[in-house]
Amino acid sequence: MLEAIRDRAQGWIARVILGLVILTFAIFGVDSYINDRSAVLEVAKVGGDGISLEDFQVALRNQKDAIEGNGEGKANTEDPQFRQAVLDDLITARVMAAAAQQSGIKTDPQRALKALAEIPAFQEGGKFSPARLDSWLRNRGMSQAQLLTLLQQDVQLGQLEVGLREGSVIAEGSIKPLITALSEQREVNEQIFDARRYQNPGQIDNAALEAEYKAQRTKLETPAQVRMEYLVLSLDSIKAHIKVDEAAVRRYYESNLSRYSEPEQRRARHILISARADQPAAERTQARQKAEQVLAEAKKTPARFADLARKYSQDPGSASTGGDLGFFTRDRMVKVFADTAFALKKGEISGVIESEFGYHIVLLDEIRAAQAKPFERLQAQLSEEWRTQEAQKRFAEQADKFANQVYEQANGLQAVAKTYNLTVQTSGWVSRTQAEPAFLAHPGLMDAVFSPESLTKKQNTDAIEVAPNMLVAARLLEHKPAGVRPLAEVAAQIRDQLAGRSALAAARKAGAEALAQGQTGKGVWSANMMVTRMQPLNLPPEAIKAIFKQPAKRLPVFVGVETQDGYRVYRINQVQAGNAAEQHAGRIRADLQRMQAKSEIKAFIAAAKADLGVSIDEKVLGKTEAR
């Protein structure tokens, strides 16, 4: 049942759960719901809603995994274009979410709950399994309320997009002329002039190389960079040296016993007659009357309750199992249902109760009394909790001392490292916006490292809090001022660029000459190819456009076209008129509607962005993360 009862156990986002498309988690960030985000770096703002660097980096990894998992090649998360594309998707999703809320789009709990029962990840033996849902939530550190929030936002986005798409209307009079044009066939021959045939980097002289280097100086600028040694005092660094004291762990268990007690649980069956709050009063009255009739039948023959649930219940998650909900605690159900179930005696049937999902009849099957979980069963968990608590105490005790010692022993970090049993680490070249690990690019730490005092004296920086419970002190080792990459470093890259440009020009020149010769009957042509706009074979889009744009009153006709890889020449031998057959109309209509809907959605998003206001922090956008 769970889906029709629990106010926190809802999760319609099957694609998210199955790990195929992590849309909502990328949009909203699970961490946004779990941790305090009051002091995080934000890569962008959509209205008053920030996209944190952490959420952005999660989205980068998700997109990279999706691309590589689908066999689409390697994805470089440090590529500026890739990063911008992922951020654009996040911004668009946030804009759409805001628009959905402003439009007053509401979700239907029953629709979402029905979908939950159909998610394979939450099924066992082809049936919905509350235990699997609970396990999934525990593994991700989420509550059912958080999953419900994600669900509602995801449904809102889907409803908004459907509304925009269905608003696109195509005029019927435009279909047949378009089919005729798209199905027209042209027989062509082809000559290809590939720029790679003309590639010769050795032809690029030094004068051309130096001229291009000067022209690209702004693109070759490098930011100021430093190499540094640094110390990290954090919960993890302290925790790594804490040995478990079993006696202390047992005392911790006993002082927190209420936390480790299993509350009373009950196992019940129910029959649900669905009724939404927004339904007409007459329909709700009819549903209530139906529930009263079923109740009378259940009271008359209690032993047949499971059969009645299979026959009448409209809860897709439990009807097939005779209404069985399994064991649950009071906080796992909506209040009215929980109050009823926990007031019943074993074997007792309730009256008709009303919740946001409709009308319920409840039969209590079993009662499992509250009991404390044994220490031995929880020992590993307790030990970890105790170590974390102990680390928090020691961090609070050591933080000020660490900061003072770093300041007092300003000429190096080795003595401080020895005091706190830490390791001095050395960075690679880092800038204010690019660093590994990513926390080294914290603005406060970068300001300290790049300060005049640090650059001249190479003394320890202050201990900077780069994240909650994480202090970093650094000392400069080397400094590279901002400048331009030397010619020797980029000469090969520039030479290849010039050679490619020269080869492309040579290919296009040769192609234009061949076009002129072809018109006098010269040239070596490919075999005949019959192409249409809908079946372009392997010809590039610009070639198809040129072929069908060319008037064909007198044949043969010749046309040339510049392509990204060179030049192509085509001889058009014959033209066969298109056929406005009705079998193509459905496909064309659907394609036109998709194109128009895409255009309208794009315009809608642009207007919504302008209305909300979108800002991007380019410095944070460029930050990388530790591998």
Side-chain angles (χ1 to χ4, degrees):
M1 116 86 210
L2 209 53
E3 54 182 57
I5 299 290
R6 299 184 181 176
D7 61 342
R8 300 188 182 94
Q10 302 180 16
W12 179 67
I13 323 167
R15 294 168 299 164
V16 173
I17 291 164
L18 295 176
L20 300 177
V21 180
I22 312 182
L23 174 63
T24 310
F25 292 102
I27 295 170
F28 302 99
V30 172
D31 197 57
S32 308
Y33 297 97
I34 299 172
N35 297 325
D36 177 14
R37 310 301 299 272
S38 58
V40 299
L41 291 174
E42 291 180 341
V43 68
K45 269 191 175 295
V46 180
D49 187 16
I51 298 174
S52 73
L53 175 61
E54 185 174 352
D55 285 347
F56 173 57
Q57 289 175 336
V58 168
L60 283 173
R61 291 196 298 272
N62 289 339
Q63 188 64 21
K64 179 179 185 293
D65 292 345
I67 290 171
E68 295 178 357
N70 291 335
E72 298 172 18
K74 290 289 184 181
N76 179 9
T77 58
E78 296 181 24
D79 176 60
Q81 291 183 335
F82 181 79
R83 295 172 74 83
Q84 186 64 56
V86 171
L87 180 59
D88 287 344
D89 285 345
L90 291 178
I91 290 172
T92 296
R94 291 284 176 100
V95 168
M96 293 284 279
Q101 286 187 323
Q102 291 174 1
S103 300
I105 295 175
K106 298 185 182 299
T107 60
D108 179 355
Q110 289 298 326
R111 173 186 170 192
L113 295 171
K114 181 177 184 299
L116 174 64
E118 296 172 356
I119 297 173
F122 293 160
Q123 291 183 347
E124 189 168 357
K127 297 178 181 178
F128 176 73
S129 168
R132 284 205 171 191
L133 172 62
D134 292 346
S135 175
W136 186 88
L137 289 169
R138 283 197 305 272
N139 289 340
R140 286 153 184 81
M142 292 180 66
S143 72
Q144 293 166 358
Q146 291 160 358
L147 186 56
L148 172 60
T149 300
L150 294 176
L151 160 67
Q152 290 171 329
Q153 291 162 334
D154 192 63
V155 172
Q156 283 180 324
L157 289 178
Q159 290 175 329
L160 176 62
E161 185 175 353
V162 167
L164 292 171
R165 290 189 184 281
E166 291 184 350
S168 299
V169 178
I170 302 300
E172 284 299 317
S174 64
I175 302 296
K176 284 191 175 181
L178 186 58
I179 294 174
T180 301
L182 291 176
S183 59
E184 177 186 309
Q185 300 181 70
R186 294 195 170 194
E187 182 189 88
V188 300
N189 305 112
E190 177 185 55
Q191 290 187 52
I192 300 177
F193 297 84
D194 192 326
R196 288 174 294 185
R197 289 164 45 192
Y198 302 86
Q199 190 92 6
N200 188 357
Q203 290 182 341
I204 307 302
D205 59 32
N206 290 334
L209 195 64
E210 290 178 8
E212 183 65 18
Y213 174 71
K214 291 177 181 178
Q216 291 192 27
R217 283 183 70 87
T218 56
K219 295 181 181 179
L220 299 171
E221 290 179 354
T222 57
Q225 294 178 298
V226 294
R227 282 182 62 251
M228 55 186 172
E229 60 180 17
Y230 62 94
L231 272 184
V232 179
L233 181 70
S234 65
L235 284 182
D236 288 341
S237 66
I238 294 173
K239 194 173 173 181
H241 300 289
I242 295 177
K243 294 182 179 179
V244 174
D245 180 341
E246 186 173 332
V249 173
R250 190 174 288 276
R251 288 194 298 272
Y252 171 80
Y253 165 73
E254 291 169 354
S255 63
N256 293 277
L257 198 58
S258 61
R259 289 177 51 201
Y260 305 110
S261 295
E262 294 178 336
E264 179 183 340
Q265 297 183 56
R266 299 209 164 192
R267 182 172 186 172
R269 297 177 183 271
H270 89 132
I271 297 169
L272 171 68
I273 305 300
S274 295
R276 299 192 312 275
D278 59 354
Q279 280 184 299
E283 293 182 10
R284 291 187 61 82
T285 299
Q286 187 177 7
R288 174 87 192 205
Q289 291 172 348
K290 175 67 178 293
E292 295 286 358
Q293 292 171 4
V294 175
L295 173 62
E297 195 171 345
K299 292 274 191 181
K300 185 177 180 181
T301 55
R304 294 188 60 246
F305 192 94
D307 294 333
L308 295 176
R310 293 186 185 93
K311 181 177 180 180
Y312 295 114
S313 182
Q314 295 171 333
D315 172 19
S318 69
S320 63
T321 59
D324 187 12
L325 307 179
F327 279 100
F328 53 86
T329 54
R330 179 182 284 273
D331 65 335
R332 302 300 291 279
M333 301 295 180
V334 292
K335 186 176 186 305
V336 64
F337 191 96
D339 289 347
T340 299
F342 278 78
L344 292 173
K345 297 177 181 178
K346 183 176 179 180
E348 188 177 3
I349 297 175
S350 73
V352 174
I353 61 170
E354 181 181 353
S355 79
E356 61 189 284
F357 305 107
Y359 299 100
H360 308 264
I361 303 162
V362 184
L363 166 66
L364 183 64
D365 275 342
E366 293 183 59
I367 299 174
R368 184 181 287 170
Q371 57 182 349
K373 299 176 185 177
F375 175 82
E376 290 72 21
R377 177 176 159 192
L378 298 171
Q379 190 165 2
Q381 174 189 338
L382 291 165
S383 296
E384 186 64 18
E385 289 181 9
W386 176 82
R387 288 178 68 236
T388 299
Q389 187 181 78
E390 192 68 17
Q392 289 170 338
K393 290 179 185 176
R394 296 188 191 182
F395 181 85
E397 294 169 356
Q398 295 178 11
D400 286 342
K401 296 177 183 177
F402 176 81
N404 290 336
Q405 195 169 347
V406 164
Y407 175 78
E408 292 165 358
Q409 301 181 28
N411 293 320
L413 296 169
Q414 293 293 344
V416 184
K418 186 175 181 180
T419 300
Y420 296 95
N421 203 10
L422 302 174
T423 301
V424 177
Q425 302 178 69
T426 303
S427 75
W429 287 103
V430 302
S431 69
R432 286 182 175 272
T433 60
Q434 298 283 343
E436 291 184 11
F439 63 75
L440 292 180
H442 185 278
L445 183 61
M446 286 292 97
D447 286 346
V449 172
F450 280 99
S451 69
E453 185 175 19
S454 172
L455 294 176
T456 55
K457 295 182 180 180
K458 294 187 177 180
Q459 292 183 332
N460 299 342
T461 67
D462 289 339
I464 307 296
E465 186 175 22
V466 299
N469 298 319
M470 185 177 186
L471 295 175
V472 177
R475 189 176 75 86
L476 180 72
L477 297 176
E478 293 183 79
H479 173 232
K480 285 183 184 177
V484 178
R485 296 170 67 187
L487 175 59
E489 186 179 315
V490 295
Q493 172 187 332
I494 293 176
R495 192 181 298 276
D496 286 343
Q497 291 175 357
L498 290 173
R501 216 179 293 165
S502 174
L504 188 60
R508 289 174 175 174
K509 180 181 177 182
E513 291 174 353
L515 174 62
Q517 293 173 358
Q519 291 173 343
T520 61
K522 297 180 180 179
V524 178
W525 299 94
S526 71
N528 293 343
M529 296 182 287
M530 189 67 78
V531 296
T532 70
R533 289 183 175 90
M534 292 190 294
Q535 295 180 318
L537 301 183
N538 62 343
L539 304 191
E542 56 265 43
I544 291 295
K545 183 177 180 180
I547 289 168
F548 283 92
K549 186 177 180 181
Q550 191 71 16
K553 293 181 180 179
R554 292 185 177 181
L555 299 175
V557 176
F558 297 85
V559 62
V561 59
E562 292 184 356
T563 62
Q564 293 182 346
D565 56 2
Y567 197 91
R568 299 194 184 202
V569 179
Y570 294 92
R571 180 174 64 198
I572 304 171
N573 301 315
Q574 61 171 301
V575 176
Q576 293 183 12
N579 177 15
E582 187 60 31
Q583 67 261 28
H584 297 297
R587 175 184 168 189
I588 298 300
R589 187 182 294 107
D591 287 345
L592 280 175
Q593 190 159 2
R594 276 194 294 271
M595 290 168 61
Q596 181 168 312
K598 185 176 180 180
S599 176
E600 290 178 0
I601 290 174
K602 186 176 180 181
F604 176 86
I605 291 170
K609 282 182 179 179
D611 184 48
L612 286 168
V614 175
S615 61
I616 297 175
D617 190 325
E618 297 292 345
K619 290 184 178 179
V620 180
L621 175 61
K623 289 185 183 298
T624 57
E625 59 182 325
R627 289 189 180 91

